[in-house]
Amino acid sequence: MNKLLIIGGVAGGASAAARARRLNEEAEIIMFERGEFVSFANCGLPYHISGEIADRKSLILQTPQSFKSRFNVDVRVRQEVTAIDRAAKTVTVKNHVTGEQYLESYDALVLSPGAAPVVPPIPGLDTPLTFSLRNIPDMDRILTLLKERKPVHATVVGGGFIGLEMMEALNELNIDVTLLEMSPQVMAPVDIEMANMLHKEIVDKGIDLRLNCGLSSVEQVGSGLELFLSNGESLNTGILISAVGVKPETTLAVNAGLAIGELGGIVVDEQMRTSDASIYAVGDAVEEFDFLTGEKALIPLAGPANRQGRIVANNIFGANDSYNRTQGTAICRVFDLAVASTGLNEKRLERSGIPYEKIYVHGASHASYFPGAHPVSLKLLFSTDDGTILGAQAIGRDGIDKRIDVMAVAIRAELTVYDMQDMELTYAPPFGSAKDVLNQAGFVASNSLKGETRLCHTADIDALSDQQILLDVRNPGELMKSGAVEGAVNIPVDQLRQRLEELPRDKEILIICQVGLRGHVAYRMLANHGFMAKNLTGGYKTYQAVHAKF
């Protein structure tokens, strides 16, 4: 292998170039980037807009000059590869500075074109006040408009990562923000009850959150825009951020006759080869395999792209490394909260027909008696067959990243909920608890699988039959403060043993407490006295999250 060409200089492409040079000092390596910048931190763009990352230069990780001096890679910015001739093993390149067009040969070719913003077919969307955010020039254009026009209101369309981050950035600049999301929730990787905790934070911070609401058309009115919404309403705004998602950038691959998958991404094998043995592809443009299901998936995340770039370089220079699929581990900060997930959510488990159970644990980020502890809400999804961990979601102010990182490793290692009981995690009062939230989740899930507890869910409470009753074991003051399920009998857990005769033995008792812990104590007490019972996992806090409306 004498000559390697790489198309795309961000994430996967830059990783492939750097790794290739570390493996081989003699090869000629050329990297093409149609934009002005390579190896920039596109995940940091919203944080520069808000001012949290003060120095724009911090976003530029490498320059053509630094790549040349450190890795001896010929980086050609503002030069776009417009065609691939697979038979001749050449590419056509257009220099956007000079207008020149030329050919460049290759022995191996890496495609890392990334993904392009989805532009929905909305009448009037193409205005000077409408922006997407994928690169530094996009960021610069947004900053210029904010400085020159000083809009008092902004609208963000789409509640994914970029939409949520831009919502927060604009709010930080003291701009009123409306967030439009066509689905019932923001942050699609988590399930609705977890998203509802996020919705509350968004609303509490003064954001005009509109769920189940899309954008129908746009009209420019004076110095602003009038937006017409799918619910028949309209609103006026000064800047519109379109963040409805991304799609694989496959134009080159399609024109070159490379195989494209059903989801619209470039088809690659485990070594990241395309349907042409001399051409590899990485990053947001490829169809990956989900780690747990083996199904094809589009997962536009920087971590997988970087790992794929490394594997491609290894294989080009003689290795036979395989990319071991993608879990989709991700986290997002939304004001004072972090929300994170790994593995499969309920929606995907249902679609895939995988048998599963779910439990909820609401604990503290560290020892509750040490100052500064914050609530951590964790959802765990696991196999009903053998307890294999299938997914995890968490939300809270502190400690969310480390819990989901541990769960991501657990899924990768194919651990079970029984293993979670034995996880030995760091403990000191400022950092954790002797019995961490993850250990607690392992206990609850294991108890369920072993039959030591019987669980119920919000849906069971809502579908209560005449052969069941609800028992709330919280103290009366809690019910007045937090609310309660209508019709529930209230016997505090500390009085339950003395008041068992008040409960029917011919009906199943569904137990409710605040987060599920006292409910388990009550369940064991009732079970040991011969009652039929189930405990609401996650307690009333989860029940509220499921039923919250925004």
Side-chain angles (χ1 to χ4, degrees), residues 140 392 468 533:
D140 290 341
Q468 296 171 314

Side-chain angles (χ1 to χ4, degrees), residues 303-323:
N306 278 280
R307 295 196 300 277
Q308 291 163 8
R310 177 184 176 89
I311 286 170
V312 160
N314 291 349
N315 291 336
I316 287 171
F317 289 100
N320 189 34
D321 291 350
S322 296
Y323 179 68

Side-chain angles (χ1 to χ4, degrees), residues 217-283:
S217 64
V218 180
E219 288 185 12
Q220 190 153 357
V221 180
S223 60
L225 300 173
E226 185 172 7
L227 310 182
F228 297 91
L229 311 182
S230 60
N231 62 4
E233 298 177 355
S234 66
L235 64 91
N236 293 314
T237 195
I239 180 173
L240 179 62
I241 306 294
S242 178
V244 296
V246 296
K247 60 181 180 180
E249 178 54 77
T250 59
T251 304
L252 268 178
V254 169
N255 291 341
L258 298 176
I260 303 297
E262 292 181 2
L263 301 179
I266 302 170
V267 173
V268 293
D269 63 14
E270 292 183 346
Q271 285 73 44
M272 306 307 296
R273 291 186 187 88
T274 68
S275 52
D276 185 315
S278 298
I279 303 177
Y280 298 76
V282 301

Side-chain angles (χ1 to χ4, degrees), residues 13-137:
S15 293
R19 177 64 174 171
R21 178 57 74 215
R22 290 196 295 271
L23 293 174
N24 188 294
E25 188 64 27
E26 305 303 322
E28 182 181 3
I29 304 173
I30 305 173
M31 184 164 66
F32 299 96
E33 171 55 52
R34 65 185 172 193
E36 184 181 349
F37 302 94
V38 294
S39 191
F40 64 88
N42 52 2
C43 295
L45 301 178
Y47 302 105
H48 180 60
I49 291 174
S50 71
E52 191 168 355
I53 297 176
D55 189 353
R56 180 176 177 275
K57 294 179 182 177
S58 301
L59 300 171
I60 302 171
L61 308 178
Q62 295 281 352
T63 65
Q65 294 75 25
S66 66
F67 248 112
K68 180 66 175 178
S69 60
R70 179 166 296 181
F71 298 111
N72 191 27
V73 172
D74 181 3
V75 178
R76 303 180 185 179
V77 295
R78 301 185 68 183
Q79 299 198 35
E80 180 179 6
V81 174
T82 57
I84 301 169
D85 187 331
R86 291 165 53 194
K89 298 185 80 169
T90 62
V91 300
T92 302
V93 185
K94 182 175 182 179
N95 186 322
H96 287 294
V97 177
T98 65
E100 171 196 10
Q101 188 165 288
Y102 62 95
L103 298 179
E104 198 72 64
S105 63
Y106 65 84
D107 295 306
L109 178 64
V110 178
L111 303 180
S112 182
V118 171
V119 181
I122 295 173
L125 188 63
D126 185 18
T127 79
L129 301 179
T130 300
F131 302 86
S132 58
L133 181 63
R134 289 294 291 172
N135 53 42
I136 288 180

Side-chain angles (χ1 to χ4, degrees), residues 475-508:
N475 295 320
E478 293 179 78
L479 276 63
M480 294 179 64
K481 179 180 178 181
S482 302
V485 180
E486 185 177 354
V489 174
N490 178 219
I491 303 178
V493 67
D494 293 336
Q495 301 175 20
L496 184 59
R497 189 173 284 105
Q498 289 74 41
R499 299 174 59 180
L500 292 176
E501 71 282 356
E502 299 178 30
L503 297 173
R505 290 185 175 272
D506 61 344
K507 292 187 177 184
E508 185 176 56

Side-chain angles (χ1 to χ4, degrees), residues 145-202:
L145 183 134
L146 293 176
K147 182 179 180 180
E148 293 179 352
R149 299 266 187 130
K150 295 181 173 56
V152 297
H153 184 274
T155 300
V156 178
V157 183
F161 292 98
I162 295 296
L164 292 173
E165 289 163 358
M166 280 304 301
M167 170 197 74
E168 182 176 355
L170 293 164
N171 179 265
E172 185 68 21
L173 297 173
N174 295 315
I175 298 172
D176 292 335
V177 181
T178 294
L179 177 64
L180 304 178
E181 170 54 54
M182 195 66 177
S183 77
Q185 67 170 85
V186 302
M187 194 69 176
V190 302
D191 293 311
I192 183 64
E193 69 277 23
M194 305 299 283
N196 274 340
M197 300 180 195
L198 204 58
H199 297 154
K200 183 178 186 304
E201 174 75 3
I202 291 169

